[in-house]
């Protein structure tokens, strides 16, 4: 399969058929704990491939004011638009690679692994372009290979380091100690800060 197979129609079909096995039903503990330490509630936050956007619920509860949710699947966007209709949350139904804007923190939660491996360098370039100076990518990456021709696509720390280190300072990339039980010992928590040029 090529990356063209994992397009808007592919993901929309998953949503329409309730094939959303990646959804853990709540914000991940690791991401929650990170944001509990962020004092500036006005930081601009982007959650690409947001799905049900459980992280956004947590962010709203914690008083964050500037949240953008992005998904390529119209059905997912319909669901989250209703879910957050009484909140000031920006929902964009768009291909990540066509997105414009600048953010302080981009949350990585099962988005990277949904993209074809051929798009990984493009992902890094796009993340860099979307972040303000000193902006960060925080979240989780799989530290596991999935021997499959369809998402999720895994990887390992050495691969990620090589991929990100030209554009980002790797502040943290370590085994996630508070993964949910089904993903225990298969995730790394990341905190990558955009390099100054």
């Amino acid at each position: 399969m090529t990356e063209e197979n994992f397009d808007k129609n592919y993901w929309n079909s998953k949503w329409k058929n309730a094939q959303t096995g990646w959804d853990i039903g709540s914000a991940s503990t690791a991401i929650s704990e990170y944001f509990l330490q962020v004092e500036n509630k006005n930081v601009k936050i982007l959650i690409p491939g947001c799905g049900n956007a459980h992280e956004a619920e947590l962010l709203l509860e914690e008083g964050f004011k500037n949240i953008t949710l992005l998904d390529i699947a119209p059905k997912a966007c319909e669901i989250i638009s209703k879910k957050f209709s009484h909140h000031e949350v920006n929902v964009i139904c768009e291909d990540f690679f066509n997105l414009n804007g600048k953010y302080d923190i981009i949350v990585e939660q099962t988005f990277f692994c949904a993209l074809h491996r051929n798009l990984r360098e493009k992902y890094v370039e796009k993340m860099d372009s979307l972040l303000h100076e000193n902006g960060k990518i925080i979240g989780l990456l799989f530290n596991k290979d999935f021997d499959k021709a369809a998402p999720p696509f895994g990887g390992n720390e050495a691969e990620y380091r090589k991929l990100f280190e030209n554009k980002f300072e790797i502040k943290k990339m370590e085994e996630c100690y508070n993964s949910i039980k089904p993903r225990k010992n298969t995730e790394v928590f990341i905190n990558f800060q955009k390099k100054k040029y």
Side-chain angles (χ1 to χ4, degrees):
M1 280 188 170
T2 62
E3 60 270 24
E4 284 76 27
N5 295 98
F6 312 123
D7 60 5
K8 177 170 76 174
N9 294 329
Y10 174 87
W11 293 109
N12 209 44
S13 172
K14 292 278 188 190
W15 279 93
K16 284 185 171 179
N17 294 306
Q19 296 172 326
T20 55
W22 61 82
D23 188 332
I24 65 174
S26 62
S28 80
T29 307
I31 292 171
S32 301
E33 287 192 2
Y34 173 84
F35 277 105
L36 292 176
Q37 299 168 49
V38 176
E39 293 179 4
N40 181 2
K41 305 301 181 186
N42 293 311
V43 290
K44 289 188 75 176
I45 300 166
L46 170 67
I47 307 178
C50 65
N52 274 312
H54 300 298
E55 283 71 25
E57 293 176 77
L58 167 95
L59 292 170
L60 288 167
E61 285 171 15
E62 292 301 317
F64 287 91
K65 313 281 187 201
N66 207 328
I67 304 164
T68 297
L69 304 177
L70 174 78
D71 208 286
I72 198 171
K75 185 64 178 173
C77 294
E78 179 190 322
I79 291 167
I80 56 173
S81 292
K82 286 178 184 172
K83 184 176 182 178
F84 295 107
S85 62
H86 300 297
H87 300 280
E88 287 187 29
V89 173
N90 186 23
V91 177
I92 302 174
C93 194
E94 178 69 88
D95 185 318
F96 167 74
F97 295 106
N98 295 332
L99 181 66
N100 293 308
K102 287 286 185 183
Y103 302 91
D104 300 305
I105 301 174
I106 302 180
V107 178
E108 172 52 57
Q109 168 69 316
T110 62
F111 176 59
F112 178 88
C113 70
L115 298 172
H116 194 280
R117 286 178 174 274
N118 295 350
L119 292 171
R120 290 189 169 181
E121 288 186 11
K122 192 177 176 185
Y123 167 102
V124 173
E125 294 282 343
K126 187 64 180 178
M127 284 290 206
D128 179 64
S129 75
L130 288 170
L131 285 164
H132 284 299
E133 187 175 328
N134 297 321
K136 294 177 179 179
I137 306 170
I138 69 97
L140 298 162
L141 294 174
F142 279 113
N143 189 24
K144 172 185 179 178
D145 276 308
F146 299 91
D147 191 21
K148 296 178 7 173
F153 300 107
N156 59 63
E157 290 187 42
E159 180 185 351
Y160 300 148
R161 195 171 294 277
K162 186 177 179 184
L163 187 64
F164 285 93
E165 64 186 2
N166 288 337
K167 297 282 187 185
F168 291 88
E169 182 184 346
I170 295 172
K171 310 281 277 185
K172 184 174 280 193
M173 181 165 52
E174 59 189 37
E175 185 176 325
C176 184
Y177 68 88
N178 51 4
S179 294
I180 61 166
K181 198 171 182 180
R183 295 183 185 171
K184 192 168 174 59
N185 302 320
T186 65
E187 295 179 308
V188 286
F189 180 79
I190 60 166
N191 183 339
F192 299 159
Q193 186 167 35
K194 179 173 173 167
K195 285 185 174 179
K196 293 181 181 178
Y197 300 108

